[in-house]
Amino acid sequence: QVQVEESGGGSVQSGGSLRLSCAASAYPHTAYITGWFRQAPGKEREGVAVLDSYGFANYAEFAQGRFTISQDNAKKMVYLQMNNLKPEDTAIYFCATGAFYGSGAPPPLTAEMDYWGKGTLVIISS
């Protein structure tokens, strides 16, 4: 069983930055994908950014140009750097991982994830 734990959430003003961290106890497979997702109050969960073990990333339109996903394979850590944050970015952010066989193209935000963290709360005030 893979354990996933997020950290780094908090409250910042609009225009500020946060870096979320995700620690995995193990990777689910030699080929895998990790991603960040979020759920705002009253809304469905949505994909933010994903990154596969081949280094290919994909971002939601709202995240492009503001958010960056990265990973440290040796530490089994995944990060989400969020800049120029807006009040509409307020949500619980979840990290997840799963087995994934990439095709050399940016992975889909809808890729199946097998293991999920409990989330970290991000609040952006105007």
Side-chain angles (χ1 to χ4, degrees), residues 4-9 18-24 36 70 76-82 93-95 119-120:
V4 178
E5 184 173 6
E6 307 90 342
S7 61
L18 280 174
R19 188 175 86 149
L20 305 183
S21 298
C22 173
W36 288 95
S70 62
K76 295 184 180 63
M77 295 289 295
V78 179
Y79 307 98
L80 185 68
Q81 178 66 45
M82 304 188 294
Y93 283 72
F94 300 90
C95 179
T120 185

Side-chain angles (χ1 to χ4, degrees), residues 8-20 66-67 81-91 93 121-126:
S11 180
V12 298
Q13 290 189 329
S14 181
S17 298
L18 280 174
R19 188 175 86 149
L20 305 183
R66 298 192 300 131
F67 296 0
Q81 178 66 45
M82 304 188 294
N83 299 327
N84 190 22
L85 285 160
K86 305 174 182 181
E88 52 264 41
D89 294 318
T90 294
Y93 283 72
L121 179 62
V122 172
I123 299 174
I124 311 303
S125 57
S126 57

Side-chain angles (χ1 to χ4, degrees), residues 36 39 41-42 45 47 65 83 90 99 103 105 110 112:
W36 288 95
Q39 187 166 18
R45 188 173 64 196
N83 299 327
T90 294
S103 61
T110 55
E112 184 175 351

